[in-house]
Amino acid sequence: CKDLTATEKLSVLLIQPGKAPRMVEIPDTLDAMQELVGGYIEEYMPFTGDDPREDDIAIICNEEGKMNRMPPNRAIADEDGQIMDIIVGPFFICYAPIESETFLSLPDDLKEEMRKKFDLPEHYYRSDEGLMVLRYDPKDLDREQAR
């Protein structure tokens, strides 16, 4: 007999501005997801690749993040490295196969792949060549501030 009061958990990759990604477990509820991203959620599925499962990886971010001027977090680039979008505010990555009606935990082998993809925080600036991304290690900033 299943306990109907127990909430299922999702294992997701949380990515916050200025921080390294980390795996977290959250209740499988809309409230928990909204709390994690700081507002209404939006599903964004920008990935395609040789592995068809990449098509099922979802970024869950704040739907109104840009309107609310949340801090820039990570860039999403196409196959040629051209920036398609910049996600603002905290977001998380989960698994969302088309045949599923709900979000699912990120499979173990995709956890590492996504962690590597978003490993370092980013700063953005404009140059004569357009929008540029500077990736940095937050540990280096901590050492600089300690001096």
Side-chain angles (χ1 to χ4, degrees):
C1 182
K2 186 175 180 180
D3 180 4
L4 296 178
T5 60
T7 303
E8 295 292 323
K9 298 275 188 180
L10 290 178
S11 181
V12 301
L13 184 65
L14 175 63
I15 302 168
Q16 298 171 293
K19 296 183 179 178
R22 63 186 170 97
M23 292 302 302
V24 297
E25 277 200 354
I26 62 169
D28 186 8
T29 65
L30 179 60
D31 287 342
M33 293 176 199
Q34 289 177 335
E35 184 177 325
L36 206 56
V37 302
Y40 296 118
I41 63 170
E42 176 180 12
E43 177 186 47
Y44 178 39
M45 300 182 75
F47 304 112
T48 57
D50 296 332
D51 184 346
R53 293 179 320 139
E54 285 185 20
D55 296 344
D56 297 330
I57 295 172
I59 290 175
I60 309 302
C61 57
N62 186 309
E63 178 180 73
E64 300 172 330
K66 290 178 182 166
M67 289 185 300
N68 292 336
R69 297 179 179 253
M70 294 180 96
N73 192 341
R74 302 295 200 282
I76 304 298
D78 65 14
E79 310 81 45
D80 299 323
Q82 297 298 310
I83 295 174
M84 299 186 315
D85 199 359
I86 295 177
I87 306 294
V88 300
F91 66 90
F92 66 91
I93 298 176
C94 62
Y95 200 55
I98 196 154
E99 64 273 4
S100 176
E101 294 181 11
T102 61
F103 297 132
L104 304 174
S105 291
L106 198 57
D108 288 339
D109 58 329
L110 293 176
K111 288 176 186 177
E112 185 61 20
E113 183 178 331
M114 289 295 109
R115 190 195 61 72
K116 285 180 183 177
K117 184 181 285 284
F118 295 102
D119 191 29
L120 295 175
E122 301 170 343
H123 285 295
Y124 308 94
Y125 62 96
R126 292 197 186 280
S127 74
D128 292 339
E129 290 101 40
L131 187 61
M132 304 299 288
V133 177
L134 174 65
R135 300 181 85 203
Y136 66 95
D137 187 337
K139 293 175 195 160
D140 292 341
L141 291 179
D142 292 341
R143 282 190 284 264
E144 286 296 317
Q145 291 173 353
R147 288 183 184 178

